[in-house]
Amino acid sequence: MHVQEWLETVPAVAVYALVGVVIGLESLGIPLPGEIILVSSALLASQHGDIDPVVLGACATAGAIIGDSIGYAIGRKGGRPMLAWLGAKFPRHFSEAHIATAERSFQKWGMWAVFFGRFVALLRIFAGPLAGVLRMPYWKFLIANVLGGIVWAGGTTAVIYYVGIVAESWLKRFSWLGLVAAVLIGVTSMLVLKRKAKKAAPEPVAAPAD
């Protein structure tokens, strides 16, 4: 069953909780489809009055901030042995190459890596734990974490919600042309943010041959 179709079968409070928990766990360092859940829920909110987009955005933002903060605490306590353990459990996401790429981003961009990391899937998972491992001062991490969580979670909810509203209105007037135009506006907005975020992350460097 499609994510949005499944979300339509559960009450609004369960949607709020699901969004907050999934995004929180992803921000903590567990590879989960937080962005997919958020986008699907925001689109659902635009079509059903039972889901309040403000509450949805608040839950997503809270999950992002709290999850990242827990990830920071775990990374600070666990250190590099924890990254090695994660690499064994989730080799696709926590490989040595991915960790090295994320670490270079932090060393080069500092707080901005945490902020823009919200818009990049890899860094979104790494940001909290890696900031703790690298002993970034917590006050710096917290500022970037809060601002990044608000802009990413709140901004994504708002953009997708209003795209859904416009799409539904245009769909009634102009059939599929309105839907295509509305979706393109939303996708373009998200791509611009993602492109700016990816500029903050350096390209991975190939490992030297033995």
Side-chain angles (χ1 to χ4, degrees):
M1 183 182 294
H2 190 276
V3 173
Q4 189 173 350
E5 293 177 349
W6 180 80
L7 288 172
E8 291 177 353
T9 66
V10 300
V13 65
V15 175
Y16 302 145
L18 179 67
V19 168
V21 169
V22 171
I23 290 178
L25 290 175
E26 182 189 39
S27 300
L28 188 152
I30 300 176
L32 290 175
E35 191 170 45
I36 294 176
I37 295 293
L38 179 58
V39 169
S40 298
S41 300
L43 189 59
L44 184 63
S46 71
Q47 301 169 352
H48 298 274
D50 293 339
I51 300 177
D52 188 331
V54 176
V55 176
L56 181 66
C59 289
T61 301
I65 295 172
I66 294 172
D68 244 13
S69 295
I70 295 174
Y72 175 91
I74 293 174
R76 193 173 181 90
K77 184 176 182 179
R80 293 190 178 278
M82 183 202 68
L83 293 180
W85 179 83
L86 287 173
K89 292 292 183 180
F90 306 101
R92 179 180 176 185
H93 296 87
F94 289 91
S95 66
E96 292 184 6
H98 285 169
I99 292 175
T101 298
E103 187 170 352
R104 284 193 295 272
S105 298
F106 271 74
Q107 291 172 344
K108 182 176 182 180
W109 300 99
M111 291 174 62
W112 289 111
V114 177
F115 178 84
F116 284 114
R118 280 290 169 195
F119 301 91
V120 181
L122 176 64
L123 288 179
R124 189 159 58 245
I125 297 172
F126 275 114
L130 191 55
V133 170
L134 297 178
R135 305 248 170 206
M136 176 183 289
Y138 183 68
W139 68 268
K140 289 185 177 182
F141 171 80
L142 183 61
I143 292 174
N145 178 28
V146 171
L147 293 178
I150 292 173
V151 173
W152 176 74
T156 297
T157 302
V159 168
I160 299 300
Y161 175 78
Y162 286 111
V163 164
I165 293 292
V166 172
E168 186 176 6
S169 175
W170 285 13
L171 185 60
K172 292 178 181 177
R173 298 181 183 180
F174 306 110
S175 185
W176 61 272
L177 291 176
L179 177 61
V180 171
V183 170
L184 285 176
I185 293 173
V187 170
T188 300
S189 300
M190 295 304 298
L191 288 177
V192 169
L193 286 174
K194 283 182 176 290
R195 184 176 181 181
K196 289 183 178 180
K198 287 182 179 179
K199 287 181 179 179
E203 295 294 327
V205 178
D210 296 331

